[in-house]
Structure formats: C-alpha cells, structure tokens
C-alpha cells in the first residue's frame, strides 16, 4: 500500500478576494498593470495566494495560467506566508567569493530549512537574494529588513538567535 501526500486546497480568507479585486481594479489602468497589482497584493497580505490569481485574472481579462505563470516565474512573489522573520543571504558573485555559499549552507543546517522555505514553527523564512548592492561588505545578509555586512557563521548565529 502506498501513501500519497495531498496538498490541502487553499482556504479563502474572508474578505480577501474582495480586497484583491479592489486593488486590481484600482491599478488595472496602469500600463503593464499585472506586476504592480501583484506587488500591491503581496504588500497588503504578505504573499499572493492561489485564489488571488483567479481574481486578478478576472479583473484583467487574462487567463488564470498567465497570471499564475508570472507569480511563479518571479522570485519576488511569495506564494505562501513568510515566517515572522525573513533571513535573506546574498548569493551574487561578490558575496559568493567571500564565503556566502558556506554561510548559506550553515544557515540551512542551523535553521533547518532551505532557501524559499519557512521553518516548521513559522519563525524564520530563509531566502536567497542576488545582490543587495553591499558588495564591498560581503557576505551580506538581511534579517527582518535590516542589512548586515561581513557576516560570518558566528555572527549569523547571533542574528538568528535574535530572530527566534
């Protein structure tokens, strides 16, 4: 007998669909409105949920697949809620040349999740970023929106300790 993991269908948040529709209608007159609408939804709710995609597609008269394709193509759009604290580690060349790869591996082991994932307790989301523009101070790490430079494994542990 084989067991199969089945993802639960997203549970609509009361009032969320209406608010997504309002945001989409407010911005649909912009040239290339899809991206600004997706950013507005993410800004307000923290992520773009699958039911949001259908609402946006309806307002813009696009196929659901078109909107879904944009959401899944761009790393800027989250499809699930982030943890209480987001930890982003730069993986651009300048930071990689001074230890960002090893720092990322240390973070994965320490936190217990990979890039794009959130810890099981919902405390930390680990993200990879390609350049904060802090190249001279690499490896660069952003914790809860605050940028840190020359981050070592020991310093990252201290930052993660504060996030927990």
């Amino acid at each position: 007998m084989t067991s199969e993991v089945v993802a639960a269908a997203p549970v609509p948040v009361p009032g969320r669909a209406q608010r997504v529709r309002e945001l989409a209608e407010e911005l649909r007159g912009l040239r290339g409105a899809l991206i600004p609408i997706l950013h507005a939804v993410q800004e307000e709710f923290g992520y773009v949920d699958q039911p949001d995609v259908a609402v946006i597609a309806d307002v813009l008269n696009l196929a659901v697949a078109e909107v879904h394709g944009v959401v899944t193509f761009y790393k800027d759009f989250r499809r699930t809620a982030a943890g209480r604290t987001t930890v982003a580690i730069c993986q651009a060349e300048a930071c990689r040349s001074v230890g960002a790869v090893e720092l990322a591996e240390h973070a994965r082991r320490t936190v217990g999740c990979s890039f794009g994932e959130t810890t099981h307790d919902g405390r930390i989301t680990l993200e990879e970023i390609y350049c904060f523009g802090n190249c001279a101070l690499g490896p660069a790490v952003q914790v809860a929106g605050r940028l840190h430079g020359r981050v070592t494994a020991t310093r990252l542990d201290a930052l993660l300790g504060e996030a927990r």
Side-chain angles (χ1 to χ4, degrees), residues 24-62:
E25 288 175 355
E26 287 172 20
L27 300 172
R28 75 175 168 196
L30 296 175
R31 186 174 180 171
L34 179 55
I35 299 287
I37 290 168
L38 291 170
H39 279 295
V41 169
Q42 183 159 293
E43 176 80 22
E44 184 147 332
F45 295 104
Y47 65 104
V48 179
D49 202 0
Q50 191 58 37
D52 303 340
V53 170
V55 173
I56 295 165
D58 182 56
V59 171
L60 296 178
N61 196 28
L62 296 172

Side-chain angles (χ1 to χ4, degrees), residues 9-26:
V11 177
V13 176
R16 181 175 173 133
Q18 180 58 39
R19 182 61 184 140
V20 170
R21 183 170 296 282
E22 290 169 2
L23 289 169
E25 288 175 355
E26 287 172 20

Side-chain angles (χ1 to χ4, degrees), residues 57-152:
D58 182 56
V59 171
L60 296 178
N61 196 28
L62 296 172
V64 171
E66 287 180 83
V67 179
H68 176 78
V70 171
V71 172
T72 57
F73 179 79
Y74 291 103
K75 286 189 173 196
D76 286 347
F77 298 118
R78 297 196 52 77
R79 291 178 288 166
T80 57
R84 286 187 295 256
T85 303
T86 299
V87 177
I89 302 173
C90 180
Q91 293 297 294
E93 290 305 313
C95 285
R96 289 173 75 88
S97 70
V98 290
V101 173
E102 295 81 7
L103 188 63
E105 186 54 41
H106 175 77
R108 285 187 203 101
R109 283 192 313 271
T110 302
V111 173
C113 68
S114 294
F115 285 140
E117 297 178 347
T118 299
T119 57
H120 70 282
D121 60 7
R123 289 185 181 179
I124 297 174
T125 295
L126 190 58
E127 297 286 346
E128 63 182 334
I129 298 294
Y130 286 91
C131 200
F132 287 114
N134 200 31
C135 304
L137 299 175
V141 174
Q142 188 178 60
V143 179
R146 186 163 180 222
L147 187 60
H148 303 272
R150 295 192 178 114
V151 178
T152 62

